[in-house]
């Protein structure tokens, strides 16, 4: 595994304080997260001032807010857009399906409102995070931005892109395809401008969707090995994955304090990049390493076995007694018995969420199984982008989110860099494609939770991320210049990492140990 | 490997073809996996990177899936068409490796064919190209292409060689340039004329533009050409003829041909833009101009004889463009915008040839191979072999580029008889020839 792990680990040995908040955690009496007597860590912010804001992203946000507000009720407000509804009914059956028939509703012309919007000049506004991360719906009145820095070409591309999204949302596929053909000839994914790259990939995703609409099929088709290797590359050129790994590992470590039999369940283990660092710390504990059992879920048994073997070898070298159990299923498709829980084991469940494919299956089953497992700690890292809702909702949210991601990659690597291209094309694009696809990332049409933290919060008790987790995160950021572009915020017990004031990933931790749940195994 | 193909609601798609589809899907994924296990030079990735600049092997999953789909379309097997289009849609990308790109562009054509929207698509693409082309972008593109690949310069060097030899001793030259090369061929010729031992001849250049997109930039080009000729000290006149419905409409008077001029007809990539039935007439028209030499350069592909057989035409189209894309992939850097633009231009042709109606065959670019053009040209002209000097010039040109390129002569014929071929990895790519009355 990569040297980066060792480096961070080396420096944090000094900073880890034993006996963190964990032992003071109240176990008597049912506790509502708000009334925890243990003082919440102070909100520490790590923002930089005087940054060039993510201009493109802000402009998009303001424009699209206007757009959404002005759309007719039937499309914007509906929980499922006509386009998504079409997925559930067998739409196409034969070749007579005359593809380019115009559907009324194509009169919807965002151009006019966009133009009137562009003509107003105004002061820049600062963008605040709120807990829901639904930044584009904050209650402020948007005023126009000074647009001198966003070039003409980029603007016309974005405008066309938005018109196209509107066309798709009202099922005007012929018009959408025409606009997409145009966009596909104009926007380049190798451009200097991040905005143009974003447009190129969003246009491609929408093209794909238009074809799928016509076909009536939306199932995904994915090569997992490519995904895993690109994920690893992303891990090398950007801090977000390491942030997820290290902050979660810290919370897990704290939960494992003084436990000698531990069981980690990783809901989507991929190549298991996260665990060597944790093993390293466990191996060097004062009380000696625990016996470690790791259950990894994934898509392919072959890949899981390879991962298991590598982790076993690593654990062996560290002198950790280790067991690996692969489960080639989705978490939401199995039941408790698959985990073969043992008495005396401390259970940690970890979930790094992404939009590459549906890793866990039905949401309601996932959360139920989590409850049944009653783990001592659940670590979740969520992407701050909405994967549910109507097409247009997802489109707007994704545009804001991914233009920020592109911006962050662009700050670190040049426009010709092949690694950057590979991550954008093979990873980020795949997510965009999934979020915009019919039926959303899970491609199942199932009603997915919009906001995992609130769902988990109904059933679990929050464990605030400790100062040590924050310290870990800070160290990671220092590995990725320009570190000052990233915003790391601790608040409400969670840690958020973002780029230039847009939160991208949120790490949180939860426990099922409340007194009104009778634990099956020692908690 | 997880293929979650269908939800229960779409079971009606499942019935007959699930086996086929699973088989194809397995094959496709296997091919992608085996691509990744090839040894890597790149230190930043552990599996095949599309950006390592390594060669794209041909005959992989893309052509298999595409051919299956073309067959399904001609057999009108609706369910199979849907499944294959779905797979192609998921796997294809215009920004990935060669296979992904080929899959993407041909997918668009197949989709147009299946939805009967080819002409509409073509028109949109043409109008976008016209709007977004500028002299600067076109010039930058061509020059970059010529710097990295002999695809176009091959024809220029061979033609210029034949032209100069045919015009030895002439003083009043009139070159009728039927091409869309933005006059990138002529500076070297002007230089050669200027440095001839005898008195510098007068040159009249009449450019006949057949692609509407090129027309937009001709004004700038004429200014530059005139300036360059002045610099070279060559008495020069420049005319542009455009807006023709078809080449057959050209006349001596229309072209401003005068009796005392030595005429040259230079035809680069233009004969293919003539409707198949009118090609004979155009050649006769060239004959009527009584040229000293006719130089013809065309890309080596046959979309003409198979034009009533969709699958055959598709196969040939796939072969040709795979060659072209692979060539581009190896000639440019992975993240090149110029390469992207050249690839995107192909979409117009591919859509046009494969998914538009026969009635609107104009602008169709039904390519023919060198041997086929030779048959036509032999009706009105005699072939002129390229001299040893010209062949040497071409060979010297090829040495300036990456390996993979070479010169080939037609099989089984007397040396230099009906033109020469530029080959890419042993495959004939471009054909150049010279003819006299």
């Amino acid at each position: 595994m990569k040297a980066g792990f060792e480096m961070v680990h080396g420096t944090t040995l000094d900073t880890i304080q034993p006996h963190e908040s964990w032992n003071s955690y109240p176990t008597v009496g049912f506790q509502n997260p708000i009334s925890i007597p243990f003082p919440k860590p102070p909100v520490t912010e790590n923002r930089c001032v005087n940054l060039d804001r993510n201009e493109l992203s802000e402009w998009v946000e303001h424009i699209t807010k206007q757009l959404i507000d002005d759309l007719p009720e039937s499309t914007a407000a509906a929980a499922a857009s006509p386009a998504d509804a079409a997925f559930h009914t067998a739409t196409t059956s034969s070749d007579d399906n005359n593809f380019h028939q115009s559907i009324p509703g194509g009169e919807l012309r965002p151009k006019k409102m966009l133009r009137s919007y562009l003509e107003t000049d105004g002061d820049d506004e600062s963008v605040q995070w709120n807990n829901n991360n639904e930044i584009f719906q904050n209650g402020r009145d948007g005023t126009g931005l000074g647009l001198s820095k966003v070039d003409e070409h980029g603007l016309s591309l974005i405008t066309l892109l938005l018109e196209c999204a509107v066309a798709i949302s009202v099922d005007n596929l012929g018009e959408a395809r025409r606009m997409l053909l145009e966009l596909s000839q104009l926007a380049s994914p190798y451009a200097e401008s991040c905005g143009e790259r974003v447009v190129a990939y969003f246009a491609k995703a929408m093209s794909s969707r238009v074809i799928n609409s016509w076909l009536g099929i939306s199932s995904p088709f994915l090569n997992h090995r490519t995904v895993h290797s690109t994920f690893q590359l992303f891990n090398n050129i950007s801090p977000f994955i390491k942030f997820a790994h290290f902050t979660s590992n810290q919370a897990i470590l704290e939960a494992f304090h003084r436990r000698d039999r531990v069981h980690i369940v990783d809901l989507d283990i991929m190549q298991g990049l996260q665990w060597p660092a944790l093993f390293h710390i466990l191996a060097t504990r004062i009380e000696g390493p625990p016996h470690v059992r790791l259950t990894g879920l994934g898509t392919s048994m072959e890949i899981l076995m390879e991962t298991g073997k590598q982790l076993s070898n690593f654990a062996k070298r560290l002198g950790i007694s280790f067991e690996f159990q692969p489960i080639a299923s989705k978490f939401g498709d199995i039941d408790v018995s698959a985990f073969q829980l043992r008495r005396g084991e401390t259970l940690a469940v970890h979930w790094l969420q992404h939009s590459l494919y549906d890793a866990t299956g039905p949401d309601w089953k996932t959360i139920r199984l989590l409850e049944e497992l009653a783990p001592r700690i659940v670590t979740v890292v969520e992407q701050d982008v909405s994967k549910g809702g109507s097409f247009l909702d997802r489109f707007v949210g994704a545009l804001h989110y991914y233009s920020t991601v592109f911006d962050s990659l662009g700050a670190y690597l040049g426009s010709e860099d092949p690694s950057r291209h590979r991550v954008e094309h093979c990873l980020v694009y795949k997510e965009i494609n999934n979020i915009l696809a019919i039926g959303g990332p899970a491609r199942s049409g199932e009603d997915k939770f919009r906001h995992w933290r609130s769902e988990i919060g109904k059933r679990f008790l929050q464990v605030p991320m400790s100062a040590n987790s924050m310290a870990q995160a800070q160290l990671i950021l220092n590995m990725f210049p320009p570190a000052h572009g990233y915003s790391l915020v601790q608040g409400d017990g969670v840690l958020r990492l973002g780029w230039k004031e847009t939160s991208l990933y949120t790490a949180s931790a939860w426990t099922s140990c409340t007194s009104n749940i009778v634990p099956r195994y020692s908690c | 490997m997880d293929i979650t193909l269908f939800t229960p609601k779409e079971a009606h798609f499942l019935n007959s073809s699930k086996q086929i589809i699973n088989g194809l899907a397995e094959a496709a994924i296997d091919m992608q996996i085996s691509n990744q296990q090839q040894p890597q030079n790149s230190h930043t990735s552990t599996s095949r990177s599309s950006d390592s600049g390594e060669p794209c092997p041909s005959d992989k999953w893309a052509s298999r899936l595409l051919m299956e789909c073309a067959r399904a379309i001609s057999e009108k097997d609706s369910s199979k068409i849907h499944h294959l289009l779905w797979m192609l849609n998921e796997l294809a990308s215009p920004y990935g490796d060669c296979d992904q790109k080929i899959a993407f562009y041909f997918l668009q054509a197949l989709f147009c064919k299946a939805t009967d929207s080819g002409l509409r698509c073509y028109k949109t693409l043409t109008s976008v190209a016209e709007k977004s082309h500028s002299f600067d972008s076109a010039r930058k593109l061509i020059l970059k292409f010529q710097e990295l690949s002999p695809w176009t310069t091959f024809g220029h060097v061979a033609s210029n060689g034949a032209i100069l030899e045919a015009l030895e001793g002439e003083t009043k030259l009139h070159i009728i340039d039927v091409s869309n090369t933005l006059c990138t061929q002529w500076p070297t010729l002007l230089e050669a004329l200027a440095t001839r031992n005898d008195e510098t001849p007068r040159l009249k250049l009449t450019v006949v533009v057949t692609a509407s997109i090129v027309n937009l930039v001709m004004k700038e080009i004429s200014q530059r050409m005139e300036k360059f000729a002045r610099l070279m000290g060559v008495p020069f006149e420049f005319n542009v003829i455009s807006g023709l419905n078809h080449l057959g409409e050209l006349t001596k008077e229309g072209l401003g041909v005068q009796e005392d001029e030595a005429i040259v007809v230079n035809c680069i990539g233009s004969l293919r833009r003539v409707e198949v039935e009118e090609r004979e007439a155009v050649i006769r028209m060239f004959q009527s101009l009584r040229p000293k030499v006719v130089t013809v350069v065309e890309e080596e592909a046959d979309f003409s004889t198979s034009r009533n057989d969709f699958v055959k035409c598709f196969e040939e189209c796939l072969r040709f463009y795979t060659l072209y894309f692979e060539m581009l992939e190896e000639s440019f850097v992975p993240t090149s915008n110029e390469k992207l633009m050249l690839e995107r231009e192909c979409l117009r042709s591919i859509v046009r040839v494969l998914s538009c109606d026969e009635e609107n065959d104009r602008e169709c670019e039904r390519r023919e191979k060198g041997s086929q053009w030779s048959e036509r040209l032999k009706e009105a002209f005699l072939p002129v072999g390229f001299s040893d000097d010209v062949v040497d010039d071409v060979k010297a040109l090829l040495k300036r580029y990456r390996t993979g390129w070479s010169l080939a002569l037609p099989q089984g014929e007397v040396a230099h008889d009906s033109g020469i071929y530029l080959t890419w990895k042993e495959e004939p790519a471009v054909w150049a020839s010279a003819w006299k009355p």
Side-chain angles (χ1 to χ4, degrees), chain A residues 328-404:
Chain A
S329 293
K330 295 184 186 181
F331 188 73
D333 287 340
I334 54 178
D335 65 56
V336 172
S337 58
F339 295 95
Q340 297 167 33
L341 298 177
R342 297 175 193 164
R343 299 198 75 84
E345 255 185 358
T346 304
L347 180 64
V349 176
H350 173 72
W351 189 10
L352 169 53
Q353 296 185 355
H354 57 70
S355 310
L356 294 163
Y357 50 86
D358 182 23
T360 48
D363 280 0
W364 62 275
K365 281 191 183 172
T366 298
I367 196 115
R368 218 177 57 174
L369 183 55
L370 273 178
E371 279 185 285
E372 271 188 81
L373 286 173
R376 177 153 169 85
I377 186 127
V378 179
T379 48
V380 181
V381 181
E382 294 174 87
Q383 290 177 300
D384 296 318
V385 63
S386 173
K387 303 172 196 182
S390 72
F391 168 74
L392 212 48
D393 282 343
R394 302 198 310 264
F395 174 83
V396 168
L399 195 56
H400 186 77
Y401 184 86
Y402 287 102
S403 48
T404 309

Side-chain angles (χ1 to χ4, degrees), chain A residues 308-326:
Chain A
K309 197 149 161 251
Q310 288 194 313
L311 289 172
S312 296
N313 289 342
F314 191 79
K316 204 163 155 187
R317 288 206 301 276
L318 289 173
I320 296 180
S321 142
F322 180 74
E323 282 174 73
F324 182 77
Q325 181 193 354

Side-chain angles (χ1 to χ4, degrees), chain A residues 184 187-188 216 219 226 421 425, chain B residues 5 10 36 51 86 93 337 344:
Chain A
S184 74
S188 164
S219 309
T226 315
H421 169 63
H425 179 247
Chain B
L5 280 178
E10 275 143 346
Q36 289 173 16
D51 322 292
W86 165 74
S93 168
N337 277 306
R344 283 173 168 174

Side-chain angles (χ1 to χ4, degrees), chain B residues 243-291:
Chain B
L244 289 175
N245 279 332
H246 76 97
L247 282 181
E249 288 173 8
L250 285 172
T251 57
K252 262 183 147 164
E253 297 73 39
L255 286 165
V257 165
Q258 283 156 21
E259 288 309 316
D260 56 344
E261 287 174 341
I263 307 291
V264 167
V265 177
N266 181 69
C267 206
I268 311 256
S270 297
L271 281 180
R272 66 172 180 258
R273 290 170 208 269
V274 177
E275 271 194 62
V276 176
E277 293 74 34
E278 291 171 7
R279 288 174 183 180
E280 201 187 308
V282 169
I283 290 171
R284 294 233 174 267
M285 183 274 296
F286 287 164
Q287 190 186 34
S288 74
L289 300 174
R290 295 216 288 264

Side-chain angles (χ1 to χ4, degrees), chain A residues 88 100 177 182 184-185 187-190 204 208 212 214 216 219 221 226 229 233 416 418 421-422 425 443, chain B residues 4-5 9-10 36 44-45 47 51 86 89-96 108 115 120 128 131 335 337 344:
Chain A
H88 294 285
H100 46 269
R177 181 148 165 89
E182 192 171 336
S184 74
Q185 300 284 302
S188 164
Y190 315 123
K204 160 101 179 67
S208 220
N212 279 343
W214 183 81
S219 309
F221 191 73
T226 315
S229 70
L233 189 58
E416 309 250 301
H421 169 63
R422 178 128 177 266
H425 179 247
R443 313 277 193 110
Chain B
T4 49
L5 280 178
K9 288 193 178 80
E10 275 143 346
Q36 289 173 16
T44 54
S45 65
S47 73
D51 322 292
W86 165 74
N89 191 31
E90 289 291 311
L91 293 171
S93 168
Y95 312 133
Q108 303 308 308
T115 55
R120 199 160 168 259
V128 173
K131 274 192 296 185
T335 51
N337 277 306
R344 283 173 168 174

Side-chain angles (χ1 to χ4, degrees), chain A residues 296-520:
Chain A
L297 283 90
T299 47
S300 138
M301 185 53 86
E302 194 187 329
I303 297 176
L304 284 171
M305 298 293 279
E306 284 168 23
T307 301
K309 197 149 161 251
Q310 288 194 313
L311 289 172
S312 296
N313 289 342
F314 191 79
K316 204 163 155 187
R317 288 206 301 276
L318 289 173
I320 296 180
S321 142
F322 180 74
E323 282 174 73
F324 182 77
Q325 181 193 354
I327 299 183
S329 293
K330 295 184 186 181
F331 188 73
D333 287 340
I334 54 178
D335 65 56
V336 172
S337 58
F339 295 95
Q340 297 167 33
L341 298 177
R342 297 175 193 164
R343 299 198 75 84
E345 255 185 358
T346 304
L347 180 64
V349 176
H350 173 72
W351 189 10
L352 169 53
Q353 296 185 355
H354 57 70
S355 310
L356 294 163
Y357 50 86
D358 182 23
T360 48
D363 280 0
W364 62 275
K365 281 191 183 172
T366 298
I367 196 115
R368 218 177 57 174
L369 183 55
L370 273 178
E371 279 185 285
E372 271 188 81
L373 286 173
R376 177 153 169 85
I377 186 127
V378 179
T379 48
V380 181
V381 181
E382 294 174 87
Q383 290 177 300
D384 296 318
V385 63
S386 173
K387 303 172 196 182
S390 72
F391 168 74
L392 212 48
D393 282 343
R394 302 198 310 264
F395 174 83
V396 168
L399 195 56
H400 186 77
Y401 184 86
Y402 287 102
S403 48
T404 309
V405 173
F406 271 81
D407 206 41
S408 76
L409 290 172
Y412 187 57
L413 295 169
S415 65
E416 309 250 301
D417 189 290
S419 296
R420 177 179 171 194
H421 169 63
R422 178 128 177 266
V423 166
E424 287 174 355
H425 179 247
C426 301
L427 201 76
V428 183
Y429 165 69
K430 285 265 181 280
E431 293 205 330
I432 295 169
N433 191 32
N434 283 335
I435 293 182
L436 298 186
I438 301 169
R443 313 277 193 110
S444 63
E446 174 211 333
D447 205 14
K448 301 287 257 179
F449 294 160
R450 292 255 205 151
H451 198 231
W452 269 95
R453 284 200 303 289
S454 26
E455 293 302 323
I456 296 181
K458 292 177 190 166
R459 301 161 174 85
F460 293 82
L461 214 48
Q462 187 173 12
V463 178
M465 298 299 268
S466 66
N468 282 333
S469 289
M470 178 72 165
Q472 294 269 346
Q474 188 58 63
L475 282 165
I476 287 161
L477 285 189
N478 294 339
M479 290 163 62
F480 290 94
H484 64 269
Y486 296 99
S487 5
L488 178 62
V489 175
Q490 188 170 23
D492 302 330
V494 304
L495 278 177
R496 287 183 233 252
L497 181 60
W499 174 256
K500 285 189 188 168
E501 305 190 29
T502 299
S503 174
L504 295 175
Y505 287 86
T506 300
S508 58
W510 310 81
T511 181
S512 60
C513 293
T514 56
S515 65
N516 67 342
I517 296 175
V518 177
R520 256 176 264 181

